[in-house]
Amino acid sequence: NAGVTQTPKFRVLKTGQSMTLLCAQDMNHEYMYWYRQDPGMGLRLIHYSVGEGTTAKGEVPDGYNVSRLKKQNFLLGLESAAPSQTSVYFCASRPGTGKETQYFGPGTRLLVL
Amino acid sequence: SQQGEEDPQALSIQEGENATMNCSYKTSINNLQWYRQNSGRGLVHLILIRSNEREKHSGRLRVTLDTSKKSSSLLITASRAADTASYFCATDAGSNYQLIWGAGTKLIIKP
């Protein structure tokens, strides 16, 4: 099993450009999460999903949108990138209720100029 | 907002020594988890301790939880160079399937 994979690994955007980050998991997990990690800080939750077709806002959702059309994929979109969105983005998945461990992808490093 | 706060922010010890890092949190929890992050990589789950547990072991790891003080500690015994990483605590307060993360402790093991 590949676990949780993220595409791309690294991207440079200009202010105002858009992009989509893809997260895929092959563990049949119900829950999926998008986090951002900034220097000296812990993870902050952007959006999450508790099942196919569902999404919900986390702590820092502004400027991001998500979709979970298929159970194995969770997409994070930036419609109009801003320098404040320069960060490392991590996707995670979790089996479901009663199984609390989260499994992380390797991260996507995003630089917005 | 971050619920967990790790202490110290950074820790540098000699290989073979024990490393202790602490986590404090603010609200009642269902469980507390510790994760490791090697430089430039994703996080890896280490251990989970539930609110009704006081101590848990996994290999060279020992975690304690004091719910009255709202704090937890992670002890790594007989440290190795490969333990060099950042360690994060995360609390599950049972709301909205979310974990709330601390800012982490950066551990450096000197050979």
Side-chain angles (χ1 to χ4, degrees):
Chain A
N1 288 350
V4 180
T5 58
Q6 292 184 232
T7 309
K9 288 185 171 52
F10 177 68
R11 184 78 182 267
V12 179
L13 288 180
K14 294 182 180 178
T15 297
Q17 287 185 318
S18 63
M19 78 164 294
T20 300
L21 283 67
L22 171 64
C23 175
Q25 52 94 5
D26 61 1
M27 299 174 284
N28 200 36
H29 287 177
E30 290 294 329
Y31 304 163
M32 296 186 75
Y33 306 84
W34 275 109
Y35 294 97
R36 61 178 288 172
Q37 185 179 37
D38 300 295
M41 300 183 72
L43 299 178
R44 290 187 291 168
L45 183 64
I46 303 171
H47 287 279
Y48 64 99
S49 168
V50 298
E52 181 179 311
T54 75
T55 62
K57 293 180 180 180
E59 181 186 353
V60 289
D62 293 342
Y64 305 94
N65 56 76
V66 288
S67 64
R68 185 133 181 240
L69 299 179
K70 294 183 178 180
K71 187 176 184 178
Q72 62 267 36
N73 295 338
F74 196 28
L75 279 64
L76 177 70
L78 285 73
E79 290 185 348
S80 180
S84 61
Q85 294 177 304
T86 293
S87 189
V88 181
Y89 292 86
F90 287 100
C91 175
S93 70
R94 173 185 151 187
T97 303
K99 306 257 185 217
E100 296 93 341
T101 299
Q102 293 190 14
Y103 297 79
F104 282 80
T108 293
R109 189 173 296 272
L110 176 66
L111 175 62
V112 182
L113 301 176
Chain B
S1 61
Q2 292 179 329
Q3 153 116 290
E5 293 184 4
E6 281 95 340
D7 169 58
Q9 290 185 327
L11 179 62
S12 180
I13 61 173
Q14 293 293 138
E15 193 168 18
E17 294 181 337
N18 295 342
T20 299
M21 52 206 90
N22 305 296
C23 170
S24 60
Y25 57 92
K26 298 174 184 174
T27 66
S28 60
I29 59 172
N30 288 344
N31 66 72
L32 184 145
Q33 303 178 38
W34 285 91
Y35 288 77
R36 184 187 73 231
Q37 183 180 35
N38 291 92
S39 181
R41 310 287 286 272
L43 282 78
V44 175
H45 181 260
L46 294 176
I47 198 165
L48 179 152
I49 187 165
R50 300 192 184 280
S51 59
N52 61 352
E53 297 175 310
R54 292 297 167 258
E55 187 170 313
K56 205 160 183 182
H57 296 255
S58 177
R60 294 184 295 112
L61 305 181
R62 172 178 167 252
V63 169
T64 61
L65 179 65
D66 186 335
T67 53
S68 67
K69 295 181 179 179
K70 292 186 170 57
S71 67
S72 174
S73 67
L74 170 67
L75 169 67
I76 303 174
T77 60
S79 63
R80 304 167 182 170
D83 295 328
T84 293
S86 291
Y87 292 81
F88 294 88
C89 70
T91 53
D92 180 350
S95 64
N96 297 331
Y97 317 99
Q98 298 180 43
L99 292 178
I100 306 298
W101 297 82
T105 292
K106 187 169 185 177
L107 176 64
I108 296 174
I109 309 299
K110 296 178 286 187

